[in-house]
Amino acid sequence: MIRIPIEEFAARVEKLRVLMKERYLHACLIYGDEYRKENLRYMSNYWPLFERGAVIVPLTGEPIIVAAPEGEMFCREMSAWPDVRLLPEFACVTVPDKIEYPMAHYTSLTAIREKLQEHGPLQRIGIVGIDAIPTPLMNSIEQGFAGIELIDASDLLFKLRMTKSPNEVRCLQEAARIADAGYKLMINQVKPGMTELELASLAYGECIKQGAEIMPFCLLTSGERVNTIIGRPSGKVIADGDMIMAAIAVQVEGYVATLNFPFVAGRISDEQKKFIDILVEAEDIALSRIKAGAKQCEVVRAVKAYFKEKDMTEYDLYPPLHGCGLAEAESPYPDEQSEALFVAGMTVNTDVSLFGHPYGSNRIEESLLVTETGYESMSKLVRQLSKTWKETATITVI
Protein backbone atom coordinates (compact mmCIF):
# COMPACT_ATOMS: atom_id res chain seq x y z
CA MET A 1 0.00 0.00 0.00
CA ILE A 2 1.27 3.46 -0.92
CA ARG A 3 1.87 5.58 2.18
CA ILE A 4 3.81 8.65 3.26
CA PRO A 5 6.31 7.24 5.80
CA ILE A 6 6.77 8.75 9.26
CA GLU A 7 10.32 9.76 8.31
CA GLU A 8 8.93 12.08 5.65
CA PHE A 9 6.65 13.83 8.14
CA ALA A 10 9.67 14.32 10.41
CA ALA A 11 11.60 15.81 7.49
CA ARG A 12 8.71 18.19 6.79
CA VAL A 13 8.81 19.40 10.38
CA GLU A 14 12.50 20.14 10.10
CA LYS A 15 11.99 22.06 6.84
CA LEU A 16 9.21 24.07 8.47
CA ARG A 17 11.47 24.86 11.43
CA VAL A 18 14.04 26.37 9.08
CA LEU A 19 11.37 28.70 7.71
CA MET A 20 10.09 29.44 11.21
CA LYS A 21 13.54 30.58 12.32
CA GLU A 22 13.74 32.91 9.34
CA ARG A 23 10.46 34.51 10.50
CA TYR A 24 11.42 34.50 14.19
CA LEU A 25 8.54 32.16 15.06
CA HIS A 26 8.76 30.02 18.20
CA ALA A 27 5.91 27.71 17.16
CA CYS A 28 3.42 27.15 14.34
CA LEU A 29 -0.23 26.18 14.77
CA ILE A 30 -1.48 24.51 11.61
CA TYR A 31 -5.27 24.33 11.38
CA GLY A 32 -7.44 21.91 9.42
CA ASP A 33 -10.89 20.38 9.25
CA GLU A 34 -12.76 18.00 6.99
CA TYR A 35 -13.04 20.64 4.28
CA ARG A 36 -9.65 22.38 4.55
CA LYS A 37 -7.45 19.40 5.29
CA GLU A 38 -4.39 20.11 3.16
CA ASN A 39 -1.94 21.81 5.53
CA LEU A 40 -2.87 19.77 8.58
CA ARG A 41 -2.55 16.51 6.71
CA TYR A 42 0.75 17.59 5.19
CA MET A 43 2.30 18.10 8.62
CA SER A 44 0.60 15.33 10.59
CA ASN A 45 -1.36 12.97 8.30
CA TYR A 46 -4.44 13.78 10.42
CA TRP A 47 -7.66 14.49 8.51
CA PRO A 48 -10.53 15.36 10.87
CA LEU A 49 -13.99 13.94 10.29
CA PHE A 50 -16.85 16.23 11.47
CA GLU A 51 -14.49 17.99 13.85
CA ARG A 52 -11.63 20.49 13.75
CA GLY A 53 -7.96 19.75 14.23
CA ALA A 54 -4.52 21.29 14.46
CA VAL A 55 -0.89 20.38 14.84
CA ILE A 56 1.38 22.67 16.84
CA VAL A 57 5.01 22.51 15.77
CA PRO A 58 7.50 24.02 18.27
CA LEU A 59 11.07 24.93 17.37
CA THR A 60 12.21 22.03 19.54
CA GLY A 61 10.36 19.03 20.83
CA GLU A 62 7.71 16.80 19.32
CA PRO A 63 4.64 18.27 17.58
CA ILE A 64 1.36 18.30 19.48
CA ILE A 65 -1.88 17.21 17.81
CA VAL A 66 -5.07 19.02 18.83
CA ALA A 67 -8.28 17.06 18.27
CA ALA A 68 -11.81 16.59 19.61
CA PRO A 69 -13.21 13.64 21.57
CA GLU A 70 -15.49 11.92 19.06
CA GLY A 71 -12.64 11.50 16.62
CA GLU A 72 -9.88 10.80 19.16
CA MET A 73 -9.31 7.16 18.22
CA PHE A 74 -9.54 7.98 14.52
CA CYS A 75 -6.96 10.73 15.07
CA ARG A 76 -4.59 8.39 16.89
CA GLU A 77 -4.99 5.85 14.09
CA MET A 78 -4.02 8.38 11.41
CA SER A 79 -1.65 10.80 13.08
CA ALA A 80 2.08 10.73 12.49
CA TRP A 81 2.53 12.16 16.00
CA PRO A 82 1.47 10.39 19.24
CA ASP A 83 0.96 13.45 21.50
CA VAL A 84 -2.79 14.03 21.04
CA ARG A 85 -4.62 16.62 23.17
CA LEU A 86 -8.41 17.11 23.21
CA LEU A 87 -10.00 20.54 23.31
CA PRO A 88 -13.76 21.23 23.52
CA GLU A 89 -13.35 24.17 21.13
CA PHE A 90 -12.42 21.73 18.37
CA ALA A 91 -15.66 19.70 18.48
CA CYS A 92 -18.23 19.25 15.70
CA VAL A 93 -18.03 21.93 12.99
CA THR A 94 -21.64 21.77 11.78
CA VAL A 95 -23.72 22.69 14.84
CA PRO A 96 -23.69 25.65 17.24
CA ASP A 97 -24.85 23.51 20.18
CA LYS A 98 -22.45 22.57 22.93
CA ILE A 99 -22.05 18.79 22.84
CA GLU A 100 -21.35 16.95 26.07
CA TYR A 101 -18.69 14.22 26.02
CA PRO A 102 -18.63 12.92 29.62
CA MET A 103 -15.79 10.46 28.94
CA ALA A 104 -13.51 13.00 27.27
CA HIS A 105 -10.18 13.86 28.86
CA TYR A 106 -9.87 17.50 27.92
CA THR A 107 -6.87 19.74 28.23
CA SER A 108 -6.71 23.48 27.55
CA LEU A 109 -4.79 25.89 25.40
CA THR A 110 -3.23 27.20 28.60
CA ALA A 111 -1.87 23.74 29.41
CA ILE A 112 -0.55 23.37 25.85
CA ARG A 113 1.06 26.78 26.14
CA GLU A 114 2.82 25.72 29.34
CA LYS A 115 4.06 22.55 27.64
CA LEU A 116 5.47 24.56 24.71
CA GLN A 117 7.21 26.96 27.10
CA GLU A 118 9.17 24.06 28.60
CA HIS A 119 11.33 24.20 25.45
CA GLY A 120 12.02 27.92 25.52
CA PRO A 121 10.43 31.34 25.01
CA LEU A 122 7.08 31.62 23.26
CA GLN A 123 6.80 35.14 21.92
CA ARG A 124 5.65 34.69 18.31
CA ILE A 125 3.40 31.92 16.95
CA GLY A 126 2.62 31.44 13.28
CA ILE A 127 -0.94 30.47 12.36
CA VAL A 128 -1.35 28.43 9.18
CA GLY A 129 -4.87 28.30 7.76
CA ILE A 130 -6.03 31.41 9.58
CA ASP A 131 -8.49 32.18 6.77
CA ALA A 132 -10.35 28.92 7.51
CA ILE A 133 -10.54 29.26 11.31
CA PRO A 134 -14.03 30.29 12.51
CA THR A 135 -14.17 33.47 14.58
CA PRO A 136 -15.19 31.82 17.91
CA LEU A 137 -12.29 29.37 17.65
CA MET A 138 -9.87 32.13 16.70
CA ASN A 139 -11.04 34.08 19.73
CA SER A 140 -10.26 31.06 21.93
CA ILE A 141 -6.80 30.72 20.40
CA GLU A 142 -6.09 34.40 21.02
CA GLN A 143 -7.22 34.07 24.64
CA GLY A 144 -5.20 30.89 25.20
CA PHE A 145 -2.08 32.57 23.83
CA ALA A 146 -2.74 36.02 25.28
CA GLY A 147 0.37 38.20 25.28
CA ILE A 148 1.93 36.20 22.44
CA GLU A 149 2.10 37.71 18.96
CA LEU A 150 0.11 35.64 16.44
CA ILE A 151 1.31 35.86 12.83
CA ASP A 152 -0.38 34.66 9.62
CA ALA A 153 2.15 32.09 8.39
CA SER A 154 0.07 30.28 5.75
CA ASP A 155 2.61 31.10 3.06
CA LEU A 156 5.17 28.82 4.73
CA LEU A 157 3.13 25.70 3.97
CA PHE A 158 2.35 26.78 0.42
CA LYS A 159 6.10 27.10 -0.10
CA LEU A 160 6.83 23.66 1.36
CA ARG A 161 4.05 21.99 -0.62
CA MET A 162 5.03 23.48 -4.00
CA THR A 163 7.31 20.60 -5.05
CA LYS A 164 6.62 16.95 -4.33
CA SER A 165 8.69 14.07 -3.00
CA PRO A 166 8.80 10.68 -4.75
CA ASN A 167 6.30 9.35 -2.19
CA GLU A 168 3.89 12.19 -2.90
CA VAL A 169 4.22 11.61 -6.63
CA ARG A 170 3.44 7.92 -6.15
CA CYS A 171 0.26 8.83 -4.29
CA LEU A 172 -0.78 11.12 -7.13
CA GLN A 173 0.05 8.49 -9.74
CA GLU A 174 -2.09 5.95 -7.92
CA ALA A 175 -4.94 8.46 -7.69
CA ALA A 176 -4.63 9.07 -11.45
CA ARG A 177 -4.64 5.34 -12.17
CA ILE A 178 -7.86 4.95 -10.22
CA ALA A 179 -9.43 7.99 -11.87
CA ASP A 180 -8.56 6.50 -15.26
CA ALA A 181 -10.45 3.34 -14.37
CA GLY A 182 -13.57 5.22 -13.29
CA TYR A 183 -13.56 7.54 -16.30
CA LYS A 184 -12.96 4.68 -18.74
CA LEU A 185 -16.06 2.94 -17.40
CA MET A 186 -18.19 6.04 -18.01
CA ILE A 187 -16.96 6.40 -21.59
CA ASN A 188 -17.54 2.73 -22.36
CA GLN A 189 -21.01 2.52 -20.82
CA VAL A 190 -22.60 5.91 -21.53
CA LYS A 191 -25.78 5.67 -23.58
CA PRO A 192 -28.80 7.84 -24.31
CA GLY A 193 -31.62 7.24 -21.84
CA MET A 194 -29.52 6.94 -18.69
CA THR A 195 -29.44 9.77 -16.19
CA GLU A 196 -26.40 11.84 -15.27
CA LEU A 197 -26.54 10.30 -11.80
CA GLU A 198 -26.50 6.79 -13.24
CA LEU A 199 -23.46 7.64 -15.33
CA ALA A 200 -21.65 9.26 -12.41
CA SER A 201 -22.37 6.25 -10.19
CA LEU A 202 -20.21 4.13 -12.48
CA ALA A 203 -17.18 6.30 -11.73
CA TYR A 204 -17.93 6.52 -8.00
CA GLY A 205 -18.31 2.76 -7.64
CA GLU A 206 -15.26 1.84 -9.71
CA CYS A 207 -12.95 4.38 -8.06
CA ILE A 208 -13.85 3.29 -4.54
CA LYS A 209 -13.49 -0.35 -5.59
CA GLN A 210 -10.04 0.40 -7.00
CA GLY A 211 -8.87 1.93 -3.70
CA ALA A 212 -9.77 5.62 -3.70
CA GLU A 213 -9.73 7.12 -0.21
CA ILE A 214 -12.53 9.39 -1.36
CA MET A 215 -13.71 11.20 -4.48
CA PRO A 216 -13.58 14.91 -3.62
CA PHE A 217 -15.91 15.53 -6.55
CA CYS A 218 -17.47 14.09 -9.65
CA LEU A 219 -18.63 16.92 -11.87
CA LEU A 220 -20.99 15.73 -14.57
CA THR A 221 -23.33 17.66 -16.84
CA SER A 222 -24.78 16.91 -20.25
CA GLY A 223 -26.48 18.68 -23.15
CA GLU A 224 -27.37 22.28 -22.32
CA ARG A 225 -26.26 21.75 -18.70
CA VAL A 226 -22.59 21.76 -19.78
CA ASN A 227 -22.85 25.57 -19.92
CA THR A 228 -22.94 25.68 -16.11
CA ILE A 229 -19.09 25.38 -16.13
CA ILE A 230 -19.15 23.20 -13.02
CA GLY A 231 -22.15 21.16 -11.97
CA ARG A 232 -23.13 18.12 -10.00
CA PRO A 233 -24.78 15.17 -11.75
CA SER A 234 -28.56 15.39 -11.71
CA GLY A 235 -31.58 13.29 -12.65
CA LYS A 236 -31.49 14.73 -16.16
CA VAL A 237 -31.88 12.07 -18.83
CA ILE A 238 -28.96 12.04 -21.26
CA ALA A 239 -30.12 12.40 -24.86
CA ASP A 240 -28.60 11.11 -28.10
CA GLY A 241 -25.87 13.54 -29.17
CA ASP A 242 -25.48 15.15 -25.75
CA MET A 243 -21.95 16.29 -25.00
CA ILE A 244 -20.80 15.12 -21.57
CA MET A 245 -18.59 17.26 -19.38
CA ALA A 246 -17.33 15.03 -16.58
CA ALA A 247 -14.42 15.79 -14.27
CA ILE A 248 -13.51 13.31 -11.55
CA ALA A 249 -11.09 13.88 -8.70
CA VAL A 250 -9.68 10.91 -6.81
CA GLN A 251 -7.89 11.13 -3.47
CA VAL A 252 -5.23 8.66 -2.27
CA GLU A 253 -3.50 9.29 1.08
CA GLY A 254 -4.68 12.89 0.84
CA TYR A 255 -3.35 13.50 -2.68
CA VAL A 256 -5.80 14.38 -5.46
CA ALA A 257 -5.48 13.67 -9.19
CA THR A 258 -8.11 14.90 -11.63
CA LEU A 259 -9.06 14.11 -15.18
CA ASN A 260 -11.55 15.41 -17.72
CA PHE A 261 -11.86 14.63 -21.43
CA PRO A 262 -14.91 15.48 -23.57
CA PHE A 263 -17.16 12.69 -24.81
CA VAL A 264 -20.59 12.41 -26.40
CA ALA A 265 -23.50 10.05 -25.77
CA GLY A 266 -24.56 8.41 -29.00
CA ARG A 267 -24.00 10.22 -32.29
CA ILE A 268 -21.40 12.97 -32.39
CA SER A 269 -21.90 15.92 -34.74
CA ASP A 270 -19.29 17.48 -37.02
CA GLU A 271 -19.57 20.70 -34.99
CA GLN A 272 -18.82 18.83 -31.76
CA LYS A 273 -15.81 17.23 -33.44
CA LYS A 274 -14.45 20.64 -34.43
CA PHE A 275 -14.95 21.88 -30.86
CA ILE A 276 -13.05 18.91 -29.40
CA ASP A 277 -10.33 19.37 -32.03
CA ILE A 278 -9.67 22.85 -30.68
CA LEU A 279 -9.44 21.65 -27.06
CA VAL A 280 -7.07 18.80 -27.99
CA GLU A 281 -4.82 21.13 -29.97
CA ALA A 282 -4.86 23.74 -27.18
CA GLU A 283 -3.80 21.16 -24.62
CA ASP A 284 -0.95 20.01 -26.85
CA ILE A 285 0.19 23.64 -27.01
CA ALA A 286 0.05 23.89 -23.21
CA LEU A 287 2.00 20.67 -22.74
CA SER A 288 4.73 21.82 -25.13
CA ARG A 289 5.52 24.76 -22.79
CA ILE A 290 5.89 22.74 -19.60
CA LYS A 291 9.39 21.91 -18.37
CA ALA A 292 11.68 22.90 -15.52
CA GLY A 293 13.07 26.41 -16.00
CA ALA A 294 10.30 27.59 -18.34
CA LYS A 295 8.06 30.50 -17.37
CA GLN A 296 4.63 29.39 -16.24
CA CYS A 297 3.04 32.39 -17.93
CA GLU A 298 4.09 31.05 -21.34
CA VAL A 299 1.58 28.21 -21.01
CA VAL A 300 -1.18 30.74 -20.38
CA ARG A 301 -0.10 33.08 -23.17
CA ALA A 302 0.25 30.29 -25.73
CA VAL A 303 -3.18 28.82 -25.06
CA LYS A 304 -4.86 32.22 -25.06
CA ALA A 305 -3.13 33.13 -28.33
CA TYR A 306 -4.38 29.91 -29.93
CA PHE A 307 -7.93 30.51 -28.70
CA LYS A 308 -7.75 34.03 -30.12
CA GLU A 309 -6.62 32.63 -33.48
CA LYS A 310 -9.66 30.33 -33.45
CA ASP A 311 -12.07 33.13 -32.38
CA MET A 312 -12.64 31.43 -29.04
CA THR A 313 -11.52 34.18 -26.66
CA GLU A 314 -15.05 34.97 -25.44
CA TYR A 315 -15.40 31.35 -24.26
CA ASP A 316 -12.01 31.26 -22.50
CA LEU A 317 -12.86 32.05 -18.87
CA TYR A 318 -9.77 31.24 -16.79
CA PRO A 319 -6.09 30.20 -16.97
CA PRO A 320 -5.34 26.73 -18.39
CA LEU A 321 -3.04 25.48 -15.62
CA HIS A 322 -2.92 25.11 -11.84
CA GLY A 323 -1.05 23.12 -9.24
CA CYS A 324 -2.30 19.88 -7.73
CA GLY A 325 -1.41 17.84 -4.68
CA LEU A 326 -3.18 17.75 -1.34
CA ALA A 327 -5.82 19.95 -2.96
CA GLU A 328 -7.32 19.49 -6.40
CA ALA A 329 -6.28 23.05 -7.18
CA GLU A 330 -3.33 24.57 -5.35
CA SER A 331 -0.38 26.85 -6.09
CA PRO A 332 0.89 27.64 -8.62
CA TYR A 333 -2.04 29.19 -10.51
CA PRO A 334 -0.29 31.38 -13.10
CA ASP A 335 -1.73 34.11 -15.30
CA GLU A 336 -0.21 35.91 -18.28
CA GLN A 337 1.91 38.14 -16.02
CA SER A 338 3.34 35.44 -13.75
CA GLU A 339 7.13 35.46 -13.49
CA ALA A 340 7.39 32.13 -11.68
CA LEU A 341 9.29 29.28 -13.30
CA PHE A 342 8.42 25.62 -13.46
CA VAL A 343 10.59 23.53 -11.13
CA ALA A 344 11.29 19.81 -11.44
CA GLY A 345 9.10 18.02 -8.91
CA MET A 346 6.13 20.35 -9.26
CA THR A 347 2.81 18.66 -9.95
CA VAL A 348 0.26 20.57 -12.01
CA ASN A 349 -3.00 20.09 -13.85
CA THR A 350 -3.71 21.30 -17.32
CA ASP A 351 -7.21 22.79 -17.28
CA VAL A 352 -7.75 23.77 -20.91
CA SER A 353 -11.37 24.83 -21.20
CA LEU A 354 -14.00 26.65 -23.24
CA PHE A 355 -17.44 27.51 -21.90
CA GLY A 356 -20.62 28.80 -23.51
CA HIS A 357 -19.74 27.90 -27.10
CA PRO A 358 -22.75 27.08 -29.32
CA TYR A 359 -21.52 23.51 -29.80
CA GLY A 360 -20.67 22.78 -26.22
CA SER A 361 -18.62 23.58 -23.13
CA ASN A 362 -15.85 21.35 -21.92
CA ARG A 363 -12.30 21.01 -20.68
CA ILE A 364 -9.32 18.70 -20.88
CA GLU A 365 -7.62 18.19 -17.56
CA GLU A 366 -4.90 15.83 -16.48
CA SER A 367 -2.36 15.72 -13.66
CA LEU A 368 1.31 16.09 -14.60
CA LEU A 369 4.75 15.86 -13.01
CA VAL A 370 7.15 18.59 -14.15
CA THR A 371 10.58 17.20 -15.12
CA GLU A 372 13.88 18.67 -16.26
CA THR A 373 13.04 17.90 -19.88
CA GLY A 374 9.28 18.38 -19.90
CA TYR A 375 6.52 16.54 -18.10
CA GLU A 376 5.19 13.10 -17.27
CA SER A 377 1.44 12.60 -17.50
CA MET A 378 -0.05 10.68 -14.60
CA SER A 379 -3.09 9.72 -16.70
CA LYS A 380 -2.49 7.04 -19.30
CA LEU A 381 -6.15 7.37 -20.26
CA VAL A 382 -6.00 11.06 -21.23
CA ARG A 383 -2.88 10.46 -23.29
CA GLN A 384 -4.60 7.52 -25.01
CA LEU A 385 -7.80 9.49 -25.65
CA SER A 386 -5.86 12.43 -27.07
CA LYS A 387 -3.83 10.18 -29.37
CA THR A 388 -6.88 8.26 -30.58
CA TRP A 389 -8.81 11.46 -31.18
CA LYS A 390 -6.06 12.96 -33.33
CA GLU A 391 -5.81 9.75 -35.36
CA THR A 392 -9.47 8.80 -35.76
CA ALA A 393 -11.68 11.62 -34.34
CA THR A 394 -13.29 9.04 -32.06
CA ILE A 395 -13.41 8.67 -28.30
CA THR A 396 -12.79 5.02 -27.66
CA VAL A 397 -10.90 3.09 -24.99
CA ILE A 398 -10.13 -0.59 -24.59
Side-chain angles (χ1 to χ4, degrees):
M1 184 175 179
I2 298 171
R3 301 293 296 268
I4 304 296
I6 184 64
E7 294 80 10
E8 188 155 325
F9 287 103
R12 292 172 182 178
V13 165
E14 293 309 313
K15 289 177 182 178
L16 177 59
R17 284 171 170 160
V18 171
L19 299 178
M20 289 164 57
K21 289 176 183 177
E22 293 174 359
R23 295 275 286 272
Y24 304 103
L25 299 175
H26 300 104
C28 254
L29 185 152
I30 297 135
Y31 173 82
D33 55 38
E34 183 176 1
Y35 313 102
R36 293 292 300 275
K37 62 178 173 58
E38 300 87 6
N39 292 323
L40 176 57
R41 190 149 193 196
Y42 183 78
M43 295 306 303
S44 70
N45 199 41
Y46 177 40
W47 177 25
L49 182 64
F50 305 135
E51 302 170 321
R52 303 178 175 98
V55 56
I56 302 175
V57 178
L59 276 178
T60 58
E62 190 171 88
I64 296 171
I65 299 292
V66 180
E70 191 169 355
E72 179 183 2
M73 296 310 296
F74 179 53
C75 173
R76 293 185 184 279
E77 179 183 61
M78 288 194 73
S79 174
W81 310 109
D83 190 351
V84 176
R85 313 290 182 95
L86 305 184
L87 288 177
E89 296 92 338
F90 279 70
C92 185
V93 301
T94 57
V95 298
D97 310 79
K98 183 177 180 181
I99 303 173
E100 296 294 335
Y101 293 100
M103 303 299 291
H105 298 287
Y106 285 126
T107 186
S108 66
L109 284 168
T110 300
I112 292 174
R113 172 179 177 160
E114 291 172 353
K115 175 66 176 177
L116 294 171
Q117 287 174 324
E118 291 177 5
H119 299 289
L122 196 62
Q123 298 170 344
R124 284 166 54 93
I125 295 178
I127 307 292
V128 175
I130 197 168
D131 60 317
I133 299 176
T135 299
L137 179 56
M138 192 63 210
N139 290 340
S140 296
I141 292 171
E142 290 172 345
Q143 292 168 12
F145 294 114
I148 296 172
E149 187 178 5
L150 303 181
I151 308 295
D152 184 353
S154 298
D155 61 305
L156 301 187
L157 266 292
F158 288 121
K159 184 180 297 185
L160 289 179
R161 288 168 45 203
M162 190 74 75
T163 58
K164 307 300 189 290
S165 71
N167 287 316
E168 291 177 287
V169 171
R170 280 191 283 272
C171 290
L172 284 165
Q173 289 170 333
E174 177 66 1
R177 182 196 67 78
I178 293 169
D180 281 358
Y183 212 88
K184 177 179 177 179
L185 198 61
M186 289 197 297
I187 290 175
N188 284 338
Q189 297 195 22
V190 65
K191 60 184 178 181
M194 70 194 315
T195 67
E196 293 172 349
L197 282 166
E198 287 173 321
L199 182 58
S201 73
L202 299 176
Y204 274 110
E206 185 63 21
C207 290
I208 298 301
K209 179 182 176 181
Q210 292 270 347
E213 186 175 52
I214 193 173
M215 287 183 68
F217 61 75
C218 175
L219 309 180
L220 196 151
T221 54
S222 63
E224 291 185 359
R225 287 195 72 229
V226 298
N227 292 324
T228 58
I229 304 178
I230 60 171
R232 303 181 194 280
S234 72
K236 175 190 174 297
V237 175
I238 297 171
D240 184 41
D242 271 359
M243 180 171 280
I244 310 295
M245 181 164 64
I248 62 174
V250 169
Q251 179 174 306
V252 170
E253 291 299 300
Y255 291 84
V256 183
T258 308
L259 78 85
N260 187 158
F261 198 93
F263 61 103
V264 174
R267 292 169 293 182
I268 185 170
S269 69
D270 289 340
E271 290 82 6
Q272 288 171 328
K273 288 182 179 180
K274 291 176 183 176
F275 178 80
I276 295 173
D277 276 341
I278 291 172
L279 285 176
V280 170
E281 179 62 26
E283 207 219 6
D284 281 350
I285 290 170
L287 293 173
S288 71
R289 268 68 172 182
I290 297 174
K291 70 174 182 178
K295 284 189 175 182
Q296 297 170 17
C297 65
E298 292 302 326
V299 173
V300 184
R301 292 173 181 174
V303 171
K304 287 186 175 295
Y306 175 72
F307 283 157
K308 183 177 181 180
E309 175 189 328
K310 296 295 182 179
D311 295 322
M312 292 286 170
T313 298
E314 65 180 295
Y315 312 115
D316 175 21
L317 302 188
Y318 54 72
L321 183 92
H322 59 74
C324 67
L326 284 164
E328 188 275 334
E330 61 180 38
S331 297
Y333 211 134
D335 59 22
E336 291 177 275
Q337 284 71 50
S338 297
E339 291 298 320
L341 304 180
F342 287 111
V343 176
M346 277 185 177
T347 50
V348 298
N349 282 359
T350 54
D351 194 350
V352 177
S353 53
L354 293 169
F355 298 106
H357 189 273
Y359 301 123
S361 298
N362 228 303
R363 62 168 65 84
I364 298 177
E365 185 167 9
E366 62 181 307
S367 299
L368 311 164
L369 171 66
V370 178
T371 68
E372 293 290 351
T373 57
Y375 68 91
E376 293 177 11
S377 176
M378 300 186 199
S379 173
K380 293 180 180 179
L381 179 62
V382 173
R383 291 296 87 227
Q384 177 191 345
L385 290 169
S386 181
K387 182 176 184 291
T388 303
W389 179 263
K390 285 180 284 190
E391 293 173 347
T392 66
T394 59
I395 303 164
T396 56
V397 290
I398 300 173

